[in-house]
Every structure is written in C-alpha cells, then in structure tokens.
Amino acid sequence: TVVKVCPNDKDAKAKFEECQKIVRRQAFERAISVDHDKKSVSESVDVNAMAVEDAYDGPHLQETISKEFMMDLIQKFKEQKKLHKKYAFKMLLDFFAYVKSLPTMVEIEVPAGKKFTICGDVHGQFYDLINIFEINGFPSETNPYLFNGDFVDRGSFSVETIFTMIGFKLLYPNHFFMSRGNHESDVMNKMYGFEGEVKAKYSQQMSEFFTEIFCFLPLCHLINKKIFVCHGGLFKEDSVTLDDIRKTDRNRQPPDEGIMCDLLWFV
C-alpha cells in the first residue's frame, strides 16, 4: 500500500522488495517441506533437562513467578545480564499456555475512580520501560497496565523488554494486559531485529517459539464496554461489529486485509 501511494519512495521500495524475498523464500520452504504437520516448539522443549550452571548468578525461578523474582530479573537486565535459558523457556511455556486460553478481544472492567495506565509502542527500549514503571509505579493489582503492541524490534533490548512484560503478565494476569501489534509478527521480526537478537542471546528454537506465541496474543481490548483499544485503527468496512472481532481467528501471521489487518496496522 505504501509503495502504491509513494511509488518513488526508495526506502519503501527496498522494504517491499525485502518482504517479497521473505515471502517467496517461505513459500519455497513450505513447498519442499516434508514436515507439513510440524509440532509446536512447546512440545520439543524440556526445561527439566536444562542444567543451571554453578556460575549463574541471576534470579532462580521456582514454580511460579514472584514479585521478588521480577525485581531481581529487572536488576540483572539493567546490568545487561541474561536470564538463564531454563527459566526463560519456562516463562515462555507458561505464557504460551495462558495466552492460548484468552479471547481475541479481552474485556476489562476498571472500577470507577481507579487508575488504569495504557502505554503505546515500547520497541525494545527496556530502560524506557523501567523508567515508566519508576515514574508511574510498578505493575500491581492496584496499578494495572495495558501495553498496546509493538513490544519488540528496533531497540537493542527487545529480549529484556518482552521477558519483563511476560513476567508481569504471569504475576498479575488480571491486572497486566498485552495487545498484539504489527511488530509481533514473523516478517517484521526478521526485518527489524528481534529475530536476530533472540538468536544472538538465546537460540533459533526460542526465536521460533516467539513466532508461535505472538500469534496467540489478543488483538484488542474493550474497557468497561465503551473504550476500545487496538494497536492499528478502526476498519475499512463500517459494518464490523464487536462480535465480528470476537470471532476472528488470530492464530496466524497478519493478513493483507480484513479485520485482523486493520486491528494491527494503521493505513
């Protein structure tokens, strides 16, 4: 669409051509693949088999996430240290199981007079994210947040950003909310840095798992039945209803048009 509107924009042309290469490569890989029924990464990850080395000095995750674990994790991230892969994968497995149970449109009830904070794109800026928390208060049952997509890409600390958000979502599932943005998608992560960052800090397997997980993030939220929040915008078709959104299958990469496309992209 951008190339059609701005046919002489060199940057748009370059990005479009890169997208086309990725699409063609993926189509070729699907065509030659003999594994059409590929299993979820979650089925191949065995956290119990992952040993935690004695030299590891980061936070240790028990059965469930605690506030103390989150504060320790944030401190280690500030020091630019990594969470051990055993605990990172455990968080992802727990988060994956949880987001799969969510509806496409999550409905939130905020009591009258209570504070509720909505934040836009963070884009891998971990230190900005923590600055928000230090100024506005850390997430809690009395200080709820909704982050409205584009958690990763562009910034150099997308891994730290997304694990901080996942941790708070697991700690406060009814008071910390996350909507999918257009950058929670495979093509964007390949082009804008998240895939490469995950591979560098962890592994290809984890990168593939994030691709799966992002497909189950809710597409939008409805607050008190009257405030509609999504990353992109409203719809090209005026006839779209809330029930149409509820029925939208989000477990996929963003399409080029339709309800899901409009919710994730502003055109």
Side-chain angles (χ1 to χ4, degrees):
T1 301
V2 172
V3 171
K4 287 179 181 177
V5 174
C6 307
N8 297 319
D9 188 317
K10 293 182 179 179
D11 184 58
K13 283 184 177 179
K15 286 184 170 61
F16 176 73
E17 289 172 3
E18 185 63 27
C19 284
Q20 291 292 84
K21 290 178 184 177
I22 293 170
V23 169
R24 286 195 294 269
R25 192 193 73 233
Q26 289 178 337
F28 177 73
E29 289 172 351
R30 285 195 299 269
I32 65 173
S33 174
V34 295
D35 185 14
H36 296 291
D37 298 318
K38 185 178 179 182
K39 292 183 178 180
S40 165
V41 174
S42 63
E43 299 177 51
S44 61
V45 173
D46 183 5
V47 294
N48 294 321
M50 298 178 186
V52 179
E53 301 80 7
D54 292 338
Y56 174 69
D57 64 348
H60 291 265
L61 177 60
Q62 304 304 320
E63 287 303 310
T64 57
I65 286 179
S66 65
K67 182 178 178 181
E68 291 72 25
F69 171 83
M70 287 305 302
M71 294 301 103
D72 289 346
L73 179 64
I74 288 169
Q75 182 56 41
K76 288 300 177 184
F77 283 164
K78 284 183 176 181
E79 298 168 6
Q80 297 190 22
K81 295 183 178 180
K82 287 198 316 181
L83 176 66
H84 194 278
K85 67 177 182 179
K86 178 186 182 77
Y87 305 134
F89 269 114
K90 185 179 186 320
M91 287 178 68
L92 292 179
L93 288 167
D94 291 346
F95 185 68
F96 186 49
Y98 181 76
V99 294
K100 285 197 297 183
S101 71
L102 295 176
T104 294
M105 181 177 71
V106 173
E107 299 194 40
I108 305 170
E109 290 295 326
V110 179
K114 296 297 182 180
K115 178 181 177 180
F116 188 87
T117 303
I118 302 174
C119 297
D121 306 19
V122 179
H123 274 308
Q125 301 293 345
F126 169 74
Y127 295 96
D128 289 350
L129 173 66
I130 301 307
N131 198 37
I132 290 172
F133 293 153
E134 290 175 346
I135 292 171
N136 192 61
F138 279 82
S140 70
E141 293 180 352
T142 57
N143 191 31
Y145 281 86
L146 164 57
F147 281 86
N148 193 30
D150 282 14
F151 318 124
V152 300
D153 283 335
R154 294 197 174 115
S156 300
F157 302 97
S158 291
V159 165
E160 291 79 4
T161 297
I162 193 66
F163 273 114
T164 299
M165 290 185 169
I166 286 173
F168 278 123
K169 180 60 179 173
L170 293 172
L171 181 58
Y172 302 116
N174 298 317
H175 299 87
F176 192 92
F177 303 92
M178 299 166 65
S179 274
R180 189 177 184 180
N182 60 297
H183 275 265
E184 280 68 58
S185 65
D186 186 48
V187 169
M188 300 299 278
N189 294 162
K190 282 177 166 59
M191 290 181 63
Y192 287 93
F194 182 59
E195 182 189 76
E197 183 182 337
V198 177
K199 287 180 181 178
K201 293 178 179 178
Y202 287 100
S203 65
Q204 171 69 30
Q205 183 186 41
M206 184 178 287
S207 175
E208 292 172 2
F209 198 14
F210 269 113
T211 299
E212 284 189 66
I213 290 170
F214 287 162
C215 286
F216 283 97
L217 286 171
L219 300 182
C220 56
H221 290 74
L222 182 64
I223 303 173
N224 291 351
K225 300 190 184 300
K226 59 183 178 181
I227 301 171
F228 182 73
V229 185
C230 67
H231 181 77
L234 296 180
F235 308 95
K236 294 185 181 72
E237 302 296 331
D238 292 336
S239 59
V240 174
T241 67
L242 294 180
D243 279 337
D244 292 332
I245 297 171
R246 292 185 181 103
K247 295 173 186 175
T248 299
D249 181 8
R250 70 186 187 277
N251 180 21
R252 57 174 298 180
Q253 293 303 311
D256 293 332
E257 59 184 5
I259 290 174
M260 184 173 176
C261 176
D262 293 344
L263 286 169
L264 298 182
W265 286 90
F266 176 75
V267 180

